Amino acid sequence: MHKTPLLDQLESGPWPSFVKDLKRVAGRKKSAADLLGVLERSYKDKITHWKHGGIVGVLGYGSGIIGRYIDIPDEFPGVEHFHTVRVNQPSGWFYTTEALRDLCDIWDRHGSSILNVHGSTGDMIFLGTTTDELEPTFAELTAKGWDLGGSGSAMRTPSCCVGKARCEWSNYDTMDLCYQTTQNFQFEMHRPSFPYKFKVKCSGCANDCVAAVARADMSVIGVWKDDIRIDQAAVKAYAAGEIKPAGGGTVYPKLDIKADVTDLCPTICMSYEGGKLTIDNANCNHCMHCINLMPQALRPGTEGGATLLLGSHAPILEGAQMSWVIVPFMPMEAPYDEFTELVGNIHEWWSENGKNRERVGELMLRLGMRNFFLGVGLEPPPQTVRAPRANPFFFWHAEDFEAEAAGRKYIK
């Protein structure tokens, strides 16, 4: 075991320490022992000793495995190569105990025994194995019914919240859409051919429990098309303090409906007068604020579907971006042909116009939303407009005049 005085300090804090866990594994795994050694060395030298990953994979797959190498292999041969394997997770991250034991047993046999449950992409992450163990790992995984996830310039593994399996607010079956999307885009996931990565994340409502709007190129956010359902008797019970706000998830014993609900509505579409709650549903943006505070009084409508947003990612070229609304409402029912066709069109437009390592959101910024909507065959929705146009020097295209002459109405 390497001496690790700097890492040892991390065990002295009030929280569980990864150092303690790694030391336990290091007693039986040389790779874990050398991982501690190289990390101690990095803390001491104040630089990383991990090199750029490069390309590594298994037969027939161009993604799913991330190459890891260090620049001082003579000192730490156990992590000379320390590849990461991404295992495609089940929708909603539902595992049986037997399935988890199978995964852990496979990784004990072929890798470092260290794993993440789960990475930010969604996959189960196996951390650390050698090149010659990749094929045996893959063979055992597939024999048990598992597959590799996405990595590199490919479609990444779709992920979702638990949806209707456990959540009453879900407006569509997130787990089924996630599964079907995974099946429909197998080639795009396992054989990288895009300018850069493309992520799909599915949330059943605007609470967005998988943070899709901030992290996914394609964010599928559940929404309802009709009116919020109101139980006025329950509203009075909240006002009287008979029901705790937010399902008891707050320190406040009583809800001030005007101050806490209607006055904080982002579109000011609610009013509370004479003990009655009124909602102007035409101006509601379905943010879930009121429903979260009064779950026994308010419920989403019954006509569920999803809003599609595109373009979010962490900082790369243009800085962090949130996604734009591109389809305000799309019904989400199997077999999801409309959704699958749109995602395919976006892939095609992006692949044709994108630069190397340019996310689709950055391409939208560079070429503009007009070119995007024309390229993927969508009608531009008003929800895309960030601010009214101020520039009067706008040049119309010939096809705009032709469409107007053919009867297009701009105000419905």
Side-chain angles (χ1 to χ4, degrees):
M1 185 79 73
H2 301 280
K3 293 182 178 181
T4 55
L6 296 176
L7 289 178
D8 294 345
Q9 296 179 42
L10 298 178
E11 295 184 82
S12 62
W15 308 109
S17 171
F18 75 94
V19 176
K20 182 178 179 179
D21 285 341
L22 285 177
K23 285 181 178 179
R24 188 177 72 248
V25 179
R28 58 187 178 85
K29 289 284 185 176
K30 171 66 173 173
S31 56
D34 278 0
L35 180 64
L36 285 166
V38 76
L39 183 56
E40 176 76 17
R41 177 68 178 272
S42 292
Y43 281 7
K44 180 181 178 182
D45 296 344
K46 296 182 173 59
I47 60 171
T48 181
H49 287 285
W50 295 101
K51 300 191 296 184
H52 186 271
I55 301 298
V56 65
V58 296
L59 185 63
Y61 278 42
S63 68
I65 297 172
I66 305 162
R68 295 280 186 261
Y69 303 91
I70 62 169
D71 59 6
I72 44 175
D74 293 340
E75 295 184 43
F76 304 101
V79 288
E80 179 178 0
H81 21 132
F82 197 74
H83 307 314
T84 293
V85 179
R86 286 179 170 165
V87 182
N88 195 329
Q89 82 283 0
S91 290
W93 299 286
F94 283 98
Y95 293 89
T96 64
T97 303
E98 181 183 1
L100 287 172
R101 290 188 183 280
D102 284 342
L103 289 169
C104 291
D105 288 344
I106 290 170
W107 198 230
D108 278 341
R109 286 192 288 273
H110 300 290
S112 67
S113 295
I114 304 167
L115 50 81
N116 283 345
V117 189
H118 280 264
S120 60
T121 298
D123 307 280
M124 170 83 76
I125 307 295
F126 285 175
L127 293 164
T129 191
T130 56
T131 303
D132 57 352
E133 289 290 348
L134 293 177
E135 288 289 353
T137 303
F138 180 60
E140 286 207 37
L141 285 171
T142 53
K144 289 289 186 177
W146 299 95
D147 199 0
L148 299 186
S151 67
S153 295
M155 183 159 172
R156 298 303 179 82
T157 316
S159 64
C160 65
C161 68
V162 296
K164 293 188 175 183
R166 294 196 65 181
C167 181
E168 59 187 324
W169 305 138
S170 187
N171 291 278
Y172 70 98
D173 190 339
T174 58
M175 293 174 59
D176 187 51
L177 176 65
C178 181
Y179 174 77
Q180 296 298 338
T181 301
T182 303
Q183 298 301 313
N184 288 335
F185 292 99
Q186 284 290 296
F187 185 92
E188 289 80 2
M189 283 177 56
H190 292 137
R191 292 160 184 82
S193 59
F194 292 158
Y196 204 20
K197 65 184 78 168
F198 187 92
K199 298 179 181 179
V200 176
K201 295 186 185 297
C202 310
S203 288
C205 73
N207 284 323
D208 194 9
C209 290
V210 291
V213 173
R215 302 191 302 150
D217 300 273
M218 171 62 78
S219 314
V220 188
I221 309 300
V223 72
W224 60 96
K225 198 172 184 180
D226 50 346
D227 295 348
I228 295 176
R229 292 173 283 172
I230 306 176
D231 183 340
Q232 295 291 353
V235 172
K236 292 179 179 179
Y238 275 106
E242 297 171 7
I243 305 176
K244 290 184 177 181
T250 173
V251 297
Y252 301 105
K254 184 179 178 180
L255 190 66
D256 184 332
I257 293 179
K258 184 177 186 305
D260 299 332
V261 181
T262 63
D263 288 356
L264 296 179
C265 175
T267 60
I268 319 298
C269 75
M270 309 182 74
S271 62
Y272 181 64
E273 297 176 359
K276 183 178 180 180
L277 183 68
T278 305
I279 302 176
D280 176 10
N281 282 277
N283 285 309
C284 173
N285 70 354
H286 305 171
C287 72
M288 294 291 293
H289 169 70
C290 59
I291 296 175
N292 290 335
L293 286 178
M294 300 193 296
Q296 287 181 245
L298 301 173
R299 301 185 67 80
T302 58
E303 190 177 352
T307 294
L308 305 186
L309 303 94
L310 191 70
S312 65
H313 60 75
I316 303 178
L317 298 179
E318 299 289 344
Q321 292 178 208
M322 301 288 275
S323 50
W324 289 279
V325 172
I326 60 170
V327 179
F329 184 84
M330 179 181 288
M332 281 294 160
E333 297 180 357
Y336 313 106
D337 291 337
E338 186 179 2
F339 174 78
T340 302
E341 181 180 1
L342 175 59
V343 173
N345 291 343
I346 292 169
H347 287 168
E348 185 175 344
W349 177 78
W350 176 44
S351 296
E352 184 175 335
N353 296 281
K355 298 178 181 179
N356 186 39
R357 297 181 70 83
E358 183 177 43
R359 298 284 284 270
V360 66
E362 293 161 341
L363 177 61
M364 291 162 70
L365 280 177
R366 180 165 63 86
L367 296 186
M369 295 301 289
R370 169 186 283 271
N371 286 324
F372 166 74
F373 284 117
L374 287 172
V376 302
L378 282 177
E379 285 290 323
Q383 288 85 347
T384 300
V385 178
R386 287 182 170 177
R389 179 168 58 86
N391 180 7
F393 299 101
F394 189 92
F395 298 95
W396 295 87
H397 291 229
E399 56 264 29
D400 295 317
F401 293 105
E402 294 168 2
E404 189 172 12
R408 176 189 284 176
K409 301 295 183 183
Y410 293 96
I411 300 176
K412 298 181 181 179

Short mmCIF file of all heavy atoms in Angstrom, two decimals, residues 78-99:
data_model
loop_
_atom_site.label_atom_id
_atom_site.label_comp_id
_atom_site.label_asym_id
_atom_site.label_seq_id
_atom_site.Cartn_x
_atom_site.Cartn_y
_atom_site.Cartn_z
N GLY A 78 -0.52 -0.62 -11.91
CA GLY A 78 -1.89 -1.10 -11.75
C GLY A 78 -2.92 -0.22 -12.44
O GLY A 78 -4.05 -0.68 -12.68
N VAL A 79 -2.54 1.03 -12.75
CA VAL A 79 -3.46 1.92 -13.45
C VAL A 79 -2.83 2.44 -14.75
O VAL A 79 -3.16 3.51 -15.22
CB VAL A 79 -3.90 3.11 -12.56
CG1 VAL A 79 -4.85 2.62 -11.47
CG2 VAL A 79 -2.72 3.84 -11.96
N GLU A 80 -1.90 1.65 -15.31
CA GLU A 80 -1.30 2.03 -16.59
C GLU A 80 -2.39 2.28 -17.62
O GLU A 80 -2.37 3.25 -18.36
CB GLU A 80 -0.36 0.94 -17.08
CG GLU A 80 0.28 1.27 -18.42
CD GLU A 80 1.26 0.20 -18.88
OE1 GLU A 80 1.44 -0.80 -18.15
OE2 GLU A 80 1.86 0.36 -19.96
N HIS A 81 -3.35 1.36 -17.68
CA HIS A 81 -4.61 1.67 -18.35
C HIS A 81 -5.72 1.36 -17.37
O HIS A 81 -5.70 0.33 -16.70
CB HIS A 81 -4.82 0.95 -19.69
CG HIS A 81 -4.02 -0.27 -19.93
ND1 HIS A 81 -4.57 -1.43 -20.39
CD2 HIS A 81 -2.68 -0.53 -19.81
CE1 HIS A 81 -3.64 -2.35 -20.55
NE2 HIS A 81 -2.49 -1.84 -20.19
N PHE A 82 -6.68 2.28 -17.32
CA PHE A 82 -7.72 2.24 -16.29
C PHE A 82 -9.03 2.69 -16.94
O PHE A 82 -9.61 3.71 -16.63
CB PHE A 82 -7.32 3.19 -15.15
CG PHE A 82 -8.07 2.98 -13.85
CD1 PHE A 82 -7.80 1.89 -13.05
CD2 PHE A 82 -9.02 3.90 -13.44
CE1 PHE A 82 -8.48 1.71 -11.85
CE2 PHE A 82 -9.70 3.73 -12.25
CZ PHE A 82 -9.42 2.64 -11.44
N HIS A 83 -9.49 1.87 -17.91
CA HIS A 83 -10.59 2.27 -18.78
C HIS A 83 -11.94 2.27 -18.03
O HIS A 83 -12.16 1.48 -17.11
CB HIS A 83 -10.69 1.34 -19.98
CG HIS A 83 -9.41 1.20 -20.73
ND1 HIS A 83 -8.63 2.27 -21.08
CD2 HIS A 83 -8.76 0.08 -21.21
CE1 HIS A 83 -7.56 1.85 -21.74
NE2 HIS A 83 -7.61 0.53 -21.83
N THR A 84 -12.82 3.15 -18.47
CA THR A 84 -14.16 3.27 -17.90
C THR A 84 -15.17 2.63 -18.84
O THR A 84 -15.17 2.89 -20.04
CB THR A 84 -14.52 4.76 -17.69
OG1 THR A 84 -13.68 5.30 -16.67
CG2 THR A 84 -15.97 4.92 -17.29
N VAL A 85 -16.04 1.80 -18.29
CA VAL A 85 -17.08 1.13 -19.07
C VAL A 85 -18.44 1.70 -18.65
O VAL A 85 -18.77 1.71 -17.46
CB VAL A 85 -17.06 -0.40 -18.84
CG1 VAL A 85 -18.17 -1.09 -19.64
CG2 VAL A 85 -15.70 -0.98 -19.19
N ARG A 86 -19.20 2.18 -19.62
CA ARG A 86 -20.55 2.66 -19.36
C ARG A 86 -21.56 1.57 -19.66
O ARG A 86 -21.60 1.04 -20.77
CB ARG A 86 -20.85 3.90 -20.21
CG ARG A 86 -20.15 5.15 -19.73
CD ARG A 86 -20.45 6.33 -20.62
NE ARG A 86 -19.95 7.57 -20.00
CZ ARG A 86 -19.80 8.72 -20.65
NH1 ARG A 86 -20.14 8.80 -21.92
NH2 ARG A 86 -19.35 9.78 -20.03
N VAL A 87 -22.39 1.25 -18.66
CA VAL A 87 -23.40 0.21 -18.83
C VAL A 87 -24.77 0.89 -18.92
O VAL A 87 -25.15 1.68 -18.04
CB VAL A 87 -23.39 -0.78 -17.65
CG1 VAL A 87 -24.43 -1.87 -17.86
CG2 VAL A 87 -22.00 -1.38 -17.48
N ASN A 88 -25.49 0.60 -20.00
CA ASN A 88 -26.80 1.21 -20.23
C ASN A 88 -27.75 0.85 -19.11
O ASN A 88 -28.06 -0.31 -18.89
CB ASN A 88 -27.35 0.75 -21.58
CG ASN A 88 -28.52 1.60 -22.05
OD1 ASN A 88 -29.28 2.13 -21.25
ND2 ASN A 88 -28.65 1.73 -23.34
N GLN A 89 -28.23 1.90 -18.40
CA GLN A 89 -29.08 1.68 -17.24
C GLN A 89 -30.52 1.36 -17.64
O GLN A 89 -30.96 1.72 -18.73
CB GLN A 89 -29.08 2.94 -16.35
CG GLN A 89 -30.03 4.04 -16.78
CD GLN A 89 -29.53 4.84 -17.97
OE1 GLN A 89 -28.47 4.59 -18.50
NE2 GLN A 89 -30.31 5.82 -18.40
N PRO A 90 -31.29 0.69 -16.78
CA PRO A 90 -32.72 0.51 -17.05
C PRO A 90 -33.43 1.84 -16.88
O PRO A 90 -32.99 2.71 -16.12
CB PRO A 90 -33.16 -0.51 -15.99
CG PRO A 90 -32.17 -0.36 -14.89
CD PRO A 90 -30.87 0.03 -15.53
N SER A 91 -34.55 2.03 -17.58
CA SER A 91 -35.33 3.27 -17.47
C SER A 91 -35.71 3.52 -16.01
O SER A 91 -36.19 2.62 -15.32
CB SER A 91 -36.59 3.17 -18.32
OG SER A 91 -36.28 3.19 -19.69
N GLY A 92 -35.50 4.76 -15.56
CA GLY A 92 -35.86 5.13 -14.20
C GLY A 92 -34.92 4.59 -13.14
O GLY A 92 -35.16 4.77 -11.95
N TRP A 93 -33.84 3.90 -13.55
CA TRP A 93 -32.86 3.33 -12.62
C TRP A 93 -33.50 2.34 -11.64
O TRP A 93 -33.17 2.31 -10.45
CB TRP A 93 -32.12 4.44 -11.85
CG TRP A 93 -31.35 5.37 -12.72
CD1 TRP A 93 -30.18 5.12 -13.37
CD2 TRP A 93 -31.71 6.70 -13.09
NE1 TRP A 93 -29.78 6.21 -14.10
CE2 TRP A 93 -30.70 7.20 -13.94
CE3 TRP A 93 -32.78 7.53 -12.77
CZ2 TRP A 93 -30.74 8.48 -14.48
CZ3 TRP A 93 -32.82 8.81 -13.31
CH2 TRP A 93 -31.81 9.27 -14.15
N PHE A 94 -34.40 1.53 -12.14
CA PHE A 94 -34.98 0.47 -11.32
C PHE A 94 -34.16 -0.81 -11.49
O PHE A 94 -34.06 -1.34 -12.60
CB PHE A 94 -36.43 0.20 -11.74
CG PHE A 94 -37.41 1.22 -11.24
CD1 PHE A 94 -37.84 2.26 -12.06
CD2 PHE A 94 -37.90 1.15 -9.95
CE1 PHE A 94 -38.75 3.19 -11.60
CE2 PHE A 94 -38.82 2.08 -9.48
CZ PHE A 94 -39.24 3.11 -10.30
N TYR A 95 -33.57 -1.29 -10.41
CA TYR A 95 -32.79 -2.53 -10.43
C TYR A 95 -33.38 -3.52 -9.42
O TYR A 95 -33.88 -3.12 -8.37
CB TYR A 95 -31.35 -2.28 -10.00
CG TYR A 95 -30.52 -1.44 -10.94
CD1 TYR A 95 -30.47 -0.06 -10.81
CD2 TYR A 95 -29.74 -2.03 -11.93
CE1 TYR A 95 -29.70 0.72 -11.65
CE2 TYR A 95 -28.96 -1.26 -12.78
CZ TYR A 95 -28.94 0.11 -12.63
OH TYR A 95 -28.17 0.88 -13.46
N THR A 96 -33.27 -4.77 -9.74
CA THR A 96 -33.50 -5.80 -8.72
C THR A 96 -32.19 -6.04 -7.99
O THR A 96 -31.10 -5.74 -8.50
CB THR A 96 -33.98 -7.11 -9.35
OG1 THR A 96 -32.94 -7.63 -10.20
CG2 THR A 96 -35.26 -6.90 -10.16
N THR A 97 -32.27 -6.59 -6.80
CA THR A 97 -31.06 -6.93 -6.04
C THR A 97 -30.21 -7.93 -6.82
O THR A 97 -28.98 -7.84 -6.86
CB THR A 97 -31.45 -7.52 -4.67
OG1 THR A 97 -32.26 -6.59 -3.97
CG2 THR A 97 -30.21 -7.81 -3.85
N GLU A 98 -30.88 -8.87 -7.49
CA GLU A 98 -30.15 -9.87 -8.27
C GLU A 98 -29.37 -9.21 -9.41
O GLU A 98 -28.21 -9.57 -9.67
CB GLU A 98 -31.13 -10.89 -8.85
CG GLU A 98 -30.47 -12.00 -9.67
CD GLU A 98 -31.47 -12.97 -10.28
OE1 GLU A 98 -32.69 -12.77 -10.09
OE2 GLU A 98 -31.03 -13.92 -10.96
N ALA A 99 -29.99 -8.24 -10.08
CA ALA A 99 -29.31 -7.55 -11.18
C ALA A 99 -28.08 -6.80 -10.67
O ALA A 99 -27.02 -6.83 -11.30
CB ALA A 99 -30.27 -6.60 -11.87
#
